[in-house]
Amino acid sequence: MNKLPNDPGDLSAFSEVAPELADMLVSVTSDIALVLDDKGFIRSVALGGAEPVSATASEWLGRQLVDTVTRDTRRKVEELLREANVAGVSRTRHINHPSAAGADIPVAYTAVRLGQSGPLLVAGRDLRAVSVMQQRLVDAQQSMERDYWRMRQAETRYRLLFQIATDAVLIIDADTLHVIDANRAAARMFGCSVQDMPGRQATDGVAPASLGTLEELLGTVRVSGRPGEAHVTLSGLGGSIHVWVSPLRGEGQSLLLLRATPDGSSPLTAPDDPLLPELMRLTPDAIVFTNEQGMLLSMNAAFAELVKISAEKGVQGRSLGDWLERDGGGFTNLLASVCRSGVKRMGARLWDEKGMSTDIELSAVLIHNGDSNSIGFIIRAVQPRGPGAPHPGSVH
């Protein structure tokens, strides 16, 4: 207990026992208890084990309580004392004390008047543990929000390529064979809108003579986990299509990816999107188009910046594998996977012209262009890396 001598003329009979009451209060319920005279001066201080409250409060003797708090909480101190003097007890106020250690010390104070004209006993509970918990909650919430938006951004990039693809592409629930998602080309092929595709059976729109073929293909891929293909006839005037089905990894769900193109020499093509060139220019993500062998056809400025090349220099004769490949056939396997399944999304590693590496998220889709195919890539840097050991998801 730290205390100043009391002036018998200033305090009532409770003055002599107020310090002992403060000590008892600290030992039972509080982290700090102060005895104030009728002018608001601190006459004694009783402390629990809270640090750095103890180190700070030891210097408060003889000062007014209002002078020990931060400027923004001075008014709360005045309200606390006024309320205790009028009603005998105050409501709890959250008040901050400045600390030499850095962050302010939050304390929840309640004041009680001891007797008709006695001193005020002000008891406080250190709120730093609560503040830490609140900050952790805020940090956790912000982290969840960041993760959510990263997921949504990845989903948006994937969906962009999904919709650019001129093959008909369907994502199918392997258990129910219901369509979960489909692109515009699939909607046109089956004669409905994109919005109407989810919930349909994957076999809807297939001619009765081909139902068994498609159902057997879907069932075989689901059980074996290996891709398969078949020729299927659509009902009405839909004609014959070539179908590729492959397993697709989902979060807790068994999925199938179905890609289809019309049989013959006239593959289904989507109308040109006038927004695509502007999107390539404005997006912060790197966008690259290659042929089926991975040779660059075009790129945006974000990709040029990512790999440290001049956009004006051109990409003639360069392969995307020049920046992804590091010994072995990983890039070749990636191209084969995209050509086989139609879409691909994965983590990878990219090296720029100076030999520095970057972890990336890569989304790719196969795009039909008349008699030839191209592959569209959207690449987003995840974390800059040095020239060290390969990343687990690297194409190498």
Side-chain angles (χ1 to χ4, degrees):
M1 163 67 68
N2 297 305
K3 60 181 179 178
L4 292 179
N6 292 312
D7 183 349
D10 291 336
L11 302 177
S12 70
F14 278 100
S15 300
E16 297 302 324
V17 296
E20 285 69 26
L21 288 174
D23 277 331
M24 181 180 67
L25 195 59
V26 164
S27 67
V28 176
T29 62
S30 301
D31 295 313
I32 182 172
L34 309 172
V35 178
L36 276 60
D37 64 18
D38 58 349
K39 303 295 184 182
F41 284 92
I42 298 172
R43 299 311 239 171
S44 66
V45 178
L47 298 169
E51 291 288 348
V53 174
S54 299
T56 303
S58 61
E59 303 172 358
W60 296 351
L61 284 171
R63 300 173 59 189
Q64 287 190 308
L65 177 60
V66 73
D67 293 330
T68 69
V69 303
T70 59
R71 180 173 299 181
D72 59 316
T73 56
R74 289 174 64 94
R75 185 173 179 179
K76 291 184 179 181
V77 173
E78 294 168 353
E79 293 172 351
L80 179 87
L81 301 183
R82 181 171 57 251
E83 196 170 282
N85 281 319
V86 172
V89 62
S90 73
R91 290 174 295 172
T92 300
R93 298 290 199 288
H94 292 185
I95 293 167
N96 296 327
H97 294 283
S99 170
D104 294 339
I105 305 169
V107 180
Y109 281 115
T110 303
V112 178
R113 188 181 63 197
L114 301 177
Q116 187 68 28
S117 58
L120 289 179
L121 180 60
V122 182
R125 173 65 69 181
D126 189 344
L127 295 178
R128 279 172 300 156
V130 176
S131 296
V132 169
M133 291 179 62
Q134 289 175 335
Q135 187 59 50
R136 287 177 180 171
L137 179 62
V138 170
D139 292 343
Q141 182 175 355
Q142 290 176 343
S143 176
M144 290 175 62
E145 290 176 354
R146 286 193 297 269
D147 291 343
Y148 170 77
W149 285 113
R150 279 197 294 267
M151 179 186 70
R152 289 300 302 269
Q153 289 165 359
E155 179 183 336
T156 299
R157 290 190 296 276
Y158 177 73
R159 182 168 292 279
L160 169 67
L161 290 178
F162 188 57
Q163 295 299 339
I164 287 175
T166 52
D167 284 355
V169 180
L170 294 84
I171 307 297
I172 300 167
D173 186 316
D175 296 324
T176 64
L177 298 187
H178 285 155
V179 175
I180 295 175
D181 203 353
N183 67 352
R184 289 190 295 266
R188 286 193 300 274
M189 177 176 284
F190 290 96
C192 61
S193 68
V194 173
Q195 291 77 17
D196 292 334
M197 291 297 292
R200 287 168 53 105
Q201 282 288 120
T203 54
D204 286 353
V206 175
S210 293
L211 276 176
T213 300
L214 182 56
E215 289 172 348
E216 181 180 358
L217 174 62
L218 294 170
T220 299
V221 173
R222 175 194 171 190
V223 173
S224 68
R226 294 190 297 270
E229 59 185 285
H231 291 275
V232 173
T233 301
L234 298 178
S235 58
L237 301 177
S240 179
I241 60 174
H242 192 176
V243 174
W244 294 263
V245 178
S246 58
L248 187 65
R249 182 180 301 173
E251 295 183 1
Q253 188 176 17
S254 179
L255 303 175
L256 299 173
L257 185 145
L258 183 150
R259 181 168 61 92
T261 59
D263 280 340
S265 58
S266 300
L268 186 68
T269 58
D272 291 336
D273 187 344
L275 296 178
L276 187 55
E278 185 69 4
L279 175 66
M280 283 188 64
R281 184 179 71 83
L282 294 177
T283 180
D285 293 328
I287 298 181
V288 176
F289 290 94
T290 75
N291 62 16
E292 288 183 280
Q293 290 72 46
M295 304 302 292
L296 268 67
L297 303 174
S298 62
M299 65 178 183
N300 67 350
F303 178 77
E305 182 179 351
L306 185 62
V307 297
K308 302 295 187 296
I309 61 174
S310 170
E312 291 76 18
K313 185 177 180 181
V315 293
Q316 198 69 26
R318 298 294 299 269
S319 167
L320 181 59
D322 292 348
W323 297 283
L324 292 176
E325 190 82 85
R326 280 298 185 274
D327 300 328
F331 184 58
T332 302
N333 293 335
L334 168 63
L335 295 175
S337 177
V338 176
C339 291
R340 181 174 60 252
S341 64
V343 292
K344 183 74 172 180
R345 182 168 57 177
M346 61 181 291
R349 205 178 197 195
L350 178 143
W351 283 261
D352 63 25
E353 294 289 277
K354 298 180 179 179
M356 299 299 291
S357 64
T358 303
D359 289 344
I360 61 171
E361 292 175 354
L362 179 149
S363 300
V365 71
L366 185 68
I367 303 171
H368 281 292
N369 300 309
D371 295 332
S372 62
N373 295 332
S374 61
I375 300 175
F377 293 88
I378 291 184
I379 299 170
R380 176 178 179 268
V382 177
Q383 178 183 359
R385 295 283 293 263
H391 184 272
S394 298
V395 179
H396 71 123

